[in-house]
Amino acid sequence: MSQLQQRIEQVIRADVRQMHAYVVQPSAGMVKLDAMENPFRLPPELQRALGERLGAVAINRYPGERLDVLREALARHAGMPDGHALVLGNGSDELISMLAMACRQPGATVLAPVPGFVMYEMSAQLQGMPFVGVPLRPDTFELDERAMLAAIEQHRPALVYIAYPNNPTGNLFDDAVIERIVQAAPGLVVIDEAYQPFSSRSYIDRLARHEHVLLMRTLSKFGLAGVRLGYMMGRRELIEEIDKVRPPYNVSVLNCEAALFALEHDDEFARQARILRDERQRLIEALQALPGVRPYPSEANMVLVKVPDARRTYEGMKARKVLVKHMGGGSPLLANCLRLTVGSPEENDLMIAALRDSL
Ligand SMILES: *Cc1c(COP(=O)(O)O)cnc(C)c1O
């Protein structure tokens, strides 16, 4: 064994050495529909205006009071209730890591329905906290209420995550079941609304009812995945505690200014979201017309679809330069499933044709 290898084994945690780094699929030259990105760029005049704004930012200074302006703009955008506060993250991924860090103590666990967003489990693992995954009901991908309540009773989790809509299944869980889970949870409940721009419902109007619920959102699926900006709202006292584990200056002056610019032009992003919601419907109908193909209902900018042979279809689509997400290897509930991001009308036409030719 080389000296460096020996040193790595002495110093780097065994569980970290056994992990795989988060894989970003290579996508050069492909129609990229694997990561729920908004396909639209800004119109040229807004690109110029943004360039001027960013050019004028004092990049020689650490981020400062401008972040207060952004927090206020986000609170207004989201309709945050009184008595609540908002913490910013470098993407909501960072907020999820911060939550695990703030809540880790002996006996603390993290619980979420599975299949779900991978970062809930990964953030727990990295903090050495057990993760409890409770399977969704097959086919409907609804919460299994009895199993969720039993797991909450048994593990008394510090954190319960509910993605609303869920990734990768795209559905909104039953509201009455969410309510009973929130009431049963002895710790914090995080409602993750990453897909809110495409959803018919939001938890925001229910947030003020429960002092232990946090509502997390991100500008990524909205159209700023490259900017990295997530935010989380909750009772002021609670947010103040979580804010203590936030790395200082986690949101750069450029992230901040780009996010403010986007909120000032939220009509443009709302227009894009409307197109994507219409495209989602068109995509689902086109998939329904293909033999042996079953798209699931979606309230997000993605559609989960079951095909006869997902590996074959995924590879066939890739050979035709269309990149989607193969869900194999994860939950048995997702056997033969692909997750398709809703793209522009042209991209969706290419995706539908590639899928049809790859069945
Ligand atoms: C994409 C996604 C996020 C993470 O988004 P960031 O880009 O880190 O802000 C969070 N939750 C869910 C459910 C997601 O699908």
Side-chain angles (χ1 to χ4, degrees):
M1 197 188 313
S2 78
Q3 280 193 341
L4 177 58
Q5 199 56 44
Q6 273 180 16
R7 205 174 282 227
I8 285 171
E9 296 202 0
Q10 270 168 22
V11 174
I12 306 288
R13 281 161 39 180
D15 59 325
V16 171
R17 279 186 274 125
Q18 259 138 47
M19 284 172 65
H20 298 283
Y22 188 89
V23 184
V24 178
Q25 303 192 84
S27 62
M30 310 278 282
V31 178
K32 188 173 187 310
L33 296 168
D34 65 329
M36 284 77 79
E37 291 148 322
N38 178 334
F40 302 116
R41 305 282 301 267
L42 285 174
E45 69 279 10
L46 288 186
Q47 287 187 21
R48 269 194 302 278
L50 174 61
E52 267 172 42
R53 275 281 282 276
L54 295 183
V57 168
I59 56 173
N60 55 319
R61 299 285 176 199
Y62 284 110
E65 272 100 49
R66 199 71 179 141
L67 290 169
D68 299 336
V69 180
L70 176 56
R71 273 194 295 269
E72 277 165 32
L74 286 167
R76 248 195 328 274
H77 173 76
M80 185 173 83
D82 290 342
H84 287 63
L86 187 152
V87 55
L88 300 176
N90 197 287
S92 41
D93 283 355
E94 187 183 47
L95 295 168
I96 295 168
S97 303
M98 283 163 50
L99 281 166
M101 205 183 299
C103 296
R104 185 200 61 197
Q105 50 185 333
T109 62
V110 176
L111 184 147
V114 289
F117 186 48
V118 291
M119 284 302 296
Y120 308 148
E121 177 166 7
M122 186 154 158
S123 62
Q125 248 172 26
L126 283 174
Q127 292 296 328
M129 262 196 283
F131 174 80
V132 181
V134 181
L136 293 171
R137 293 220 305 262
D139 263 9
T140 61
F141 301 124
E142 269 295 346
L143 293 165
D144 184 334
E145 179 174 0
R146 282 177 57 184
M148 286 290 287
L149 294 176
I152 288 170
E153 186 57 36
Q154 184 187 344
H155 299 282
R156 313 297 293 164
L159 290 168
V160 174
Y161 281 98
I162 306 273
Y164 186 80
N166 190 43
N167 173 6
T169 56
N171 58 316
L172 285 169
F173 299 130
D174 184 291
D175 288 320
V177 176
I178 292 178
E179 197 56 28
R180 290 192 284 276
I181 288 168
V182 166
Q183 274 163 16
L188 305 179
V189 179
V190 184
I191 308 285
D192 180 352
E193 291 194 346
Y195 298 96
Q196 178 273 331
F198 315 102
S199 170
S200 61
R201 300 199 299 275
S202 164
Y203 199 84
I204 190 74
D205 301 322
R206 287 166 267 171
L207 182 59
R209 284 191 216 159
H210 303 288
E211 56 189 18
H212 64 297
V213 174
L214 294 160
L215 183 58
M216 191 164 70
R217 289 194 185 171
T218 171
L219 294 184
S220 291
K221 281 52 185 228
F222 174 88
L224 300 188
V227 170
R228 310 308 297 136
L229 196 96
Y231 57 107
M232 187 165 65
M233 298 169 280
R235 287 292 166 94
R236 183 171 303 282
E237 304 89 307
L238 187 51
I239 293 292
E240 278 169 4
E241 294 304 321
I242 293 156
D243 199 45
K244 294 176 188 171
V245 302
R246 183 176 55 80
Y249 313 128
N250 62 327
V251 171
S252 87
V253 291
L254 297 175
N255 300 24
C256 176
E257 206 57 42
L260 275 167
F261 182 87
L263 292 175
E264 288 162 24
H265 298 94
D266 57 357
D267 54 333
E268 170 61 20
F269 292 90
R271 187 186 69 82
Q272 297 175 357
R274 269 197 305 278
I275 297 173
L276 293 172
R277 288 194 300 262
D278 290 346
E279 279 296 301
R280 173 178 69 202
Q281 185 55 30
R282 187 174 76 89
L283 176 61
I284 287 174
E285 285 167 16
L287 293 167
Q288 276 165 344
L290 297 176
V293 174
R294 175 172 178 201
Y296 292 92
S298 170
E299 299 264 354
N301 63 338
M302 55 156 139
V303 175
L304 188 74
V305 62
K306 200 185 264 300
V307 294
D309 182 345
R311 168 58 60 188
R312 176 193 160 88
T313 303
Y314 168 79
E315 294 295 348
M317 292 177 78
K318 201 163 151 184
R320 291 169 176 83
K321 299 281 178 217
V322 177
L323 190 64
V324 299
K325 176 84 174 166
H326 180 227
M327 302 309 300
S331 158
L333 297 183
L334 299 180
N336 278 323
C337 283
L338 302 173
R339 189 190 63 194
L340 314 178
T341 297
V342 180
S344 67
E346 302 73 34
E347 289 174 329
N348 295 332
D349 286 342
L350 291 169
M351 174 163 62
I352 293 162
L355 191 147
R356 187 192 54 222
D357 295 342
S358 308
L359 284 172

